[in-house]
Amino acid sequence: ILVGLAVALLAVRIGVTLAKRSAPAGDMIRWTTPEEGLRLAAETGKPVLLDFTAEWCAPCHILDAEGFRNPAIARLVNERYVAIRVVDRQQEEGRNRPAVEALQRRYGVRGFPTVVFADARGGERGRMEGFRGREEFERVMERAR
């Protein structure tokens, strides 16, 4: 059992490392904090994309590399949404900021990555839990419009 657990942990670590190395440098999305993004959405009436993520999450890094760093997806996100990155710090710091906890509760986030598409008032219009590839992400984003 311990050997199996060690192999699984090693595979996750390798996956995170490869995702980080294969991703182009720099973010293409204009990310905002939860506080700033929700204020901006309320002022402009623009819908929001909330990316619930964590540093230790291998699928989150793959979503970044294959999804958010894809020029076509980044362009659509930047044009259509206020992009809010919600970073979970529970594992690293033992707790999250109150704004992060409130958003996780509000949208029922059970795992990472979770991407929520919402209207300017915060009403959920669509979501993707986990990362099932760029094409599926694009389908969910289009349906949430």
Side-chain angles (χ1 to χ4, degrees), residues 8-83:
L9 290 173
L10 179 61
V12 168
R13 180 70 179 153
I14 290 170
V16 169
T17 301
L18 291 176
K20 285 181 180 180
R21 284 187 190 157
S22 66
D27 278 330
M28 300 177 87
I29 305 287
R30 290 187 301 268
W31 296 109
T32 63
T33 64
E35 297 85 358
E36 175 66 17
L38 295 174
R39 182 192 61 75
L40 186 59
E43 287 176 3
T44 64
K46 199 171 183 180
V48 296
L49 177 154
L50 296 116
D51 173 35
F52 291 91
T53 187
E55 179 61 35
W56 51 264
C57 169
C60 298
H61 293 289
I62 296 169
L63 170 59
D64 282 341
E66 295 180 16
F68 294 132
R69 290 192 181 118
N70 176 289
I73 290 175
R75 181 182 50 77
L76 288 175
V77 169
N78 288 329
E79 287 173 4
R80 295 180 182 174
Y81 298 96
V82 174

Side-chain angles (χ1 to χ4, degrees), residues 31 50-64 68 84-90 92 96 100 104 109 111-116:
W31 296 109
L50 296 116
D51 173 35
F52 291 91
T53 187
E55 179 61 35
W56 51 264
C57 169
C60 298
H61 293 289
I62 296 169
L63 170 59
D64 282 341
F68 294 132
I84 300 172
R85 179 148 278 176
V86 185
V87 180
D88 184 271
R89 300 293 301 167
Q90 182 71 38
E92 295 86 354
N96 283 311
V100 170
Q104 287 178 342
V109 174
F112 304 104
T114 296
V115 179
V116 174

